[in-house]
Amino acid sequence: MPKKDIRDMTDKEIIIKLKNLGILISVEDFKGEALKAGSPTDLADYWKVLFGIRNSNEEFLYDATFELWRRHLSDVKCPEMLALFIDETVNMYVDKPYEHDRFSILNIYERIKDFYQGLIKEDGMPDVDLYNRLTLLSYNDFEAFLINIPFQLARQGFVDEAVNVGRWFGELSSQPENFLRDTGCILAEAGRRGEALLQIDENLLRFPNDNWVVINAGDAMYSLGEKEGAEKFYLRAYNIAREQYDKAGVIERLIDLYKELGLTDKVEAFEKEYNDIMKS
């Protein structure tokens, strides 16, 4: 008979199996001991040593503490549980990255929203220290996942939700520019000109020398149909680029822009520079 998944077991079934391992406990007792231990892993570690639990029973022990915490202590802010929650959310996305429809991507957004709410302190401010701690507890690179999600939401028509994610985690990340520069592009692509321009201005004020902030300002202006504005930012990015990768990224955009404008001489000059960079 295949092993029953812990999530399909009732509280009573879990409690009985724990009893068979020597752990006599009720749900209320579990809540008290779990809060005293501080996390599901710490409680399982304590029980493992106290009751001499070994081999295959260890896996059940850890699964049980996590599942009972999930069911009965979901209102308690626990870094380990938040890390597990966001890992599960990331896995929901990466398992089928190209097959998400409006329903599934919105479901992922709702989980991200719940995750963000779990990071809010009693004073209403986001807990940056907790967020940084979660980067160590999570198995996945969840910040890379969070940076990617706004564009996926916007493609499904959820622009407000996309902007929310960018601004929420722009408050928490040690590299907020990675979120906010995309927010400007998303607003521009959605035709929300006023909001896009405000976001671009904010980004350039906060990160005036960040090459990709400037490049993405050009991208946003291009989406708004302002080719002169796009050229201005692309040339600014070209002039401040320090790395060959960054310079190549902006040159590609300049080549495409000048082709569209019919400026053959500029296209040829930048194509030559681009090819030289690619050869080096």
Side-chain angles (χ1 to χ4, degrees):
M1 178 180 295
K3 183 174 67 172
K4 192 172 185 178
D5 190 291
I6 191 80
R7 297 196 183 196
D8 295 329
M9 297 176 69
T10 64
D11 285 350
K12 183 176 180 180
E13 289 174 320
I14 294 172
I15 294 299
I16 289 173
K17 190 162 183 179
L18 287 172
K19 180 180 178 181
N20 292 338
L21 297 177
I23 303 170
L24 304 178
I25 197 167
S26 66
V27 169
E28 287 304 310
D29 291 336
F30 165 80
K31 290 164 67 174
E33 292 201 27
L35 291 174
K36 183 177 179 181
S39 77
T41 293
D42 288 339
L43 179 58
D45 286 344
Y46 172 71
W47 280 346
K48 182 175 73 171
V49 173
L50 184 64
F51 296 100
I53 296 170
R54 296 289 183 270
N55 303 323
S56 61
N57 289 325
E58 290 184 48
E59 181 180 354
F60 172 78
L61 181 62
Y62 286 95
D63 287 347
T65 57
F66 272 91
E67 183 60 22
L68 290 174
W69 190 299
R70 188 198 312 271
R71 295 180 189 181
H72 302 288
L73 293 171
S74 61
D75 59 332
V76 177
K77 186 178 292 186
C78 171
E80 197 169 61
M81 293 302 293
L82 278 172
L84 176 62
F85 183 80
I86 196 62
D87 274 331
E88 290 173 344
T89 305
V90 173
N91 290 337
M92 286 172 61
Y93 177 75
V94 299
D95 283 348
K96 296 181 178 180
Y98 303 109
E99 298 180 23
H100 292 289
D101 56 17
R102 284 175 58 85
F103 175 81
S104 64
I105 203 70
L106 187 59
N107 182 44
I108 289 171
Y109 167 77
E110 292 297 337
R111 289 180 64 90
I112 292 172
K113 181 179 178 181
D114 289 343
F115 172 62
Y116 176 72
Q117 291 299 322
L119 297 170
I120 301 300
K121 298 183 291 186
E122 291 184 2
D123 63 4
M125 298 298 292
D127 192 331
V128 176
D129 290 337
L130 176 56
Y131 181 79
N132 290 334
R133 184 179 175 191
L134 293 177
T135 64
L136 302 177
L137 290 173
S138 294
Y139 289 106
N140 294 292
D141 183 351
F142 67 80
E143 182 152 293
F145 158 75
L146 291 169
I147 289 171
N148 183 57
I149 282 295
F151 279 116
Q152 304 304 320
L153 285 163
R155 289 189 186 108
Q156 294 289 348
F158 299 116
V159 177
D160 288 334
E161 290 79 2
V163 171
N164 286 343
V165 173
R167 290 179 176 163
W168 289 339
F169 294 98
E171 294 180 311
L172 287 158
S173 174
S174 61
Q175 296 180 302
E177 62 275 20
N178 291 340
F179 288 96
L180 297 178
R181 70 190 189 204
D182 289 346
T183 300
C185 289
I186 287 168
L187 287 166
E189 289 175 9
R192 291 163 59 164
R193 177 186 175 81
E195 294 171 84
L197 292 176
L198 285 173
Q199 188 67 62
I200 291 168
D201 287 344
E202 177 190 334
N203 295 347
L204 293 170
L205 183 64
R206 290 181 63 180
F207 318 106
N209 297 313
D210 184 292
N211 195 69
W212 283 94
V213 166
V214 180
I215 289 174
N216 288 153
D219 292 344
M221 297 302 287
Y222 185 87
S223 294
L224 291 171
E226 299 193 13
K227 295 183 176 61
E228 288 186 8
E231 180 190 23
K232 179 185 75 172
F233 286 122
Y234 290 154
L235 289 174
R236 176 175 164 183
Y238 173 82
N239 289 324
I240 66 173
R242 296 178 181 176
E243 303 294 333
Q244 294 288 67
Y245 169 78
D246 293 337
K247 183 152 284 191
V250 72
I251 288 175
E252 285 182 309
R253 286 166 168 81
L254 283 166
I255 290 170
D256 289 341
L257 179 62
Y258 289 139
K259 282 182 178 178
E260 187 173 345
L261 296 174
L263 300 175
T264 306
D265 291 345
K266 291 185 177 183
V267 171
E268 291 176 353
F270 278 115
E271 282 183 337
K272 181 180 183 306
E273 183 174 359
Y274 180 80
N275 289 332
D276 290 341
I277 290 174
M278 293 297 102
K279 292 175 184 177
S280 62

